[in-house]
Amino acid sequence: MDRRDFLKKTALAAGTAMAVPASHVLAHTVELTDEMSETEQVAPVGDKLKVLMINGSPRPDGNTFCALKEIETELQKHGVNTEIIQIGRKPVRMCINCGGCHQNGGEGCVFDDDLCNEIAHKMMEAHALVVGTPVYYGQPNGGILSLMQRVFFSSGHCVQNKPAAAVAVCRRGGATATLQTMNMMFEMMNMPVVSSQYWNIVYGLGKGEAKLDTEGMQTMRTLASNLAWMLEKFHSGEPKAPTHEREKKFMNFIR
């Protein structure tokens, strides 16, 4: 079954009403996942596992990117393929709950002028998801929220049961609320949430300052090793528990 046929099957099963309640869509998504045979899984395991990473910052090489790059480097040491997608500075549409994604023949969101459908397509091939976001007013970037809500609503079958992690980058506060907001979406989509030695937080204001947060960088590396171990556990017979750096780093910002 190719991508078009699978998405069409999902769309038809989700209902034909233009306004589809989120609970209805989620119920059908879970039901479809349970019914799929082993040969119909959207992300068959190959020789290499892949993690899709999304940079929710409009700055392509800012502190959020530094955090994701630290995760990427560690994942690659474990033999995991990675891809970082930049959300960029172009507008991202919000979900208007029109239900059109369940009437268009399974082609994803009917608004195809931003990253939504591209991310959904990439998630069909990925085995896990990491989303990084700067903290704006104690919340995730509005663009990344709109993007993920539309991906999950229109193409929730692409992410079912795949591990996910959120990373929050801030100057001072609001990071825990940002993480909670992101994790709530993952939990609704049956995505195991990947933890670390601390909350997935990195601190920094000026460009590149995140690299100076030694505890935050170690937290990112630990997150990556936990994710690699989780993927190995999910997709192999006898995985070994991850090993972590012996010396745990602590860093206080008032000196």
Side-chain angles (χ1 to χ4, degrees):
M1 179 180 293
D2 62 19
R3 172 177 178 265
R4 182 180 294 271
D5 291 338
F6 175 72
L7 291 176
K8 185 175 182 179
K9 173 184 175 182
T10 305
L12 293 175
T16 56
M18 280 301 291
V20 185
S23 59
H24 179 77
V25 174
L26 290 172
H28 276 284
T29 301
V30 174
E31 181 180 347
L32 277 171
T33 303
D34 291 340
E35 290 179 353
M36 286 191 295
S37 68
E38 184 175 344
T39 58
E40 291 177 305
Q41 294 296 325
V42 295
V45 179
D47 295 333
K48 287 283 190 176
L49 298 170
K50 181 177 180 179
V51 175
L52 179 65
M53 310 175 74
I54 303 176
N55 182 1
S57 171
R59 298 175 179 174
D61 56 353
N63 288 319
T64 303
F65 177 77
C66 288
L68 293 178
K69 194 65 179 177
E70 193 76 9
I71 297 172
E72 179 182 57
T73 300
E74 190 69 22
L75 284 172
Q76 291 176 351
K77 290 179 182 178
H78 289 272
V80 178
N81 286 333
T82 59
E83 180 181 7
I84 298 179
I85 299 296
Q86 171 70 30
I87 193 173
R89 298 184 176 182
K90 295 181 180 180
V92 178
R93 291 178 178 268
M94 68 176 185
C95 180
I96 61 173
N97 193 25
C98 67
C101 53
H102 302 288
Q103 290 200 60
N104 65 356
E107 292 300 314
C109 182
V110 293
F111 298 112
D112 197 20
D113 54 358
D114 57 23
L115 282 174
C116 179
N117 291 331
E118 179 182 347
I119 294 297
H121 189 199
K122 289 180 179 294
M123 274 308 302
M124 293 183 69
E125 302 172 351
H127 298 88
L129 174 67
V130 177
V131 181
T133 177
V135 176
Y136 291 170
Y137 295 96
Q139 304 165 83
N141 178 353
I144 197 66
L145 276 179
S146 294
L147 175 65
M148 299 315 302
Q149 287 170 358
R150 281 174 54 225
V151 169
F152 289 166
F153 190 83
S154 64
S155 305
H157 56 278
C158 297
V159 301
Q160 294 290 312
N161 304 311
K162 296 180 179 181
V167 173
V169 180
C170 69
R171 178 191 69 87
R172 182 175 179 87
T176 54
T178 297
L179 284 177
Q180 290 165 356
T181 300
M182 296 298 296
N183 286 341
M184 288 178 73
M185 292 190 288
F186 300 151
E187 291 170 356
M188 287 187 68
M189 304 309 295
N190 298 296
M191 304 179 77
V193 176
V194 187
S195 61
S196 186
Q197 65 188 38
Y198 193 74
W199 297 297
N200 301 337
I201 297 170
V202 176
Y203 291 91
L205 175 60
K207 180 179 178 180
E209 281 187 359
K211 296 179 181 178
L212 303 178
D213 180 5
T214 54
E215 183 176 352
M217 290 293 101
Q218 187 180 63
T219 300
M220 296 299 101
R221 295 192 296 272
T222 303
L223 166 62
S225 63
N226 286 344
L227 174 53
W229 175 79
M230 184 180 291
L231 287 172
E232 183 183 0
K233 186 173 181 65
F234 284 180
H235 299 290
S236 68
E238 298 180 359
K240 297 180 180 179
T243 57
H244 303 306
E245 298 173 21
R246 292 184 177 182
E247 181 182 354
K248 189 171 182 179
K249 297 185 181 297
F250 295 93
M251 184 171 184
N252 300 324
F253 285 85
I254 297 178
R255 298 174 180 271

